[in-house]
Amino acid sequence: MAIWLLLLVLLLAAFALLRVQRLRRTRPSSLPTPRTLFNLHTGDIVQFDGRDWVVEDRLLYDEDGFQWLEYLLRDGSEARWLAVSEDDWLELSWLEAAPAALARQLAAGATPFPEQIHWDGLTYERREEGRASASSSARTMNRHLASCRFADYEAEGQRVLSVERWDDETEVTIGHQIDPSALTLLPGDGRSVYRLNG
């Protein structure tokens, strides 16, 4: 009887040991990967200024090997762009679509871009311009968006303005630089809340 009891105890101990080892192997992969400004995915949440913004797309720009990211964020019917650039230091810009009058003014111009843009009492100075290719992580079609001519501008008060000229349209965004510590990044479920087929 004692032998059977000893065998039962050994069998239960072996089973418990296998279970613990299996849990150790599976636990790290079941935890979500911590989010950074460089690995946000569709459905993740960016908390900023008291609001939750859902990541809808991630665009990777490449200018002769220098890369930067732009995330399309949505909260209800509102959209913002979070631009992430890392050169000598990390730069973040919080952008939205420019007013229609400003967008029309810049769409009418040809490259090269103007050295200055005057808008809303501020003078934006051109900081850089060039050509970059862009690819999307969320789009099923048109993942590679070809290339655009771009120009980035700065004004006092950490105000920024960006112009992108694609083949058939000009996109103008305006906003300001922000401190990375002002953001909270949370993993989401990987699905878009704004597209029916997510």
Side-chain angles (χ1 to χ4, degrees), residues 30 57 63 79 81 84 87 92-93 100 142-143 148 164 190 192 194:
S30 65
D57 200 357
E63 182 191 20
W81 287 96
V84 180
D87 195 0
L92 299 184
S93 297
N142 300 319
R143 283 186 184 274
C148 69
E164 294 178 0
S192 166
Y194 296 96

Side-chain angles (χ1 to χ4, degrees), residues 102-158:
L102 176 59
R104 279 193 304 273
Q105 170 189 326
L106 293 170
T111 53
F113 295 95
E115 289 186 27
Q116 294 182 336
I117 296 172
H118 303 283
W119 181 257
D120 200 24
L122 293 173
T123 299
Y124 290 84
E125 302 280 347
R126 189 179 67 215
R127 184 179 70 175
E128 61 183 309
E129 70 173 297
R131 178 177 292 280
S133 62
S135 58
S136 164
S137 66
R139 300 174 194 214
T140 303
M141 298 174 62
N142 300 319
R143 283 186 184 274
H144 185 71
L145 304 175
S147 64
C148 69
R149 300 269 322 153
F150 71 91
D152 292 328
Y153 295 81
E154 290 182 352
E156 63 184 43
Q158 295 190 309

Side-chain angles (χ1 to χ4, degrees), residues 1-11:
M1 182 76 170
I3 293 176
W4 288 108
L5 187 58
L6 181 62
L7 285 173
L8 181 62
V9 169
L10 288 173
L11 187 63

Side-chain angles (χ1 to χ4, degrees), residues 20-40:
V20 167
Q21 288 176 342
R22 197 174 289 154
L23 283 174
R24 283 185 183 162
R25 281 193 299 255
T26 59
R27 185 171 292 144
S29 63
S30 65
L31 295 175
T33 304
R35 295 302 189 242
T36 71
L37 290 166
F38 303 100
N39 70 354
L40 292 172

Side-chain angles (χ1 to χ4, degrees), residues 60-68 131-135 146-147 150:
L60 175 64
Y61 288 79
D62 188 301
E63 182 191 20
D64 299 325
F66 178 77
Q67 297 182 329
W68 68 95
R131 178 177 292 280
S133 62
S135 58
S147 64
F150 71 91

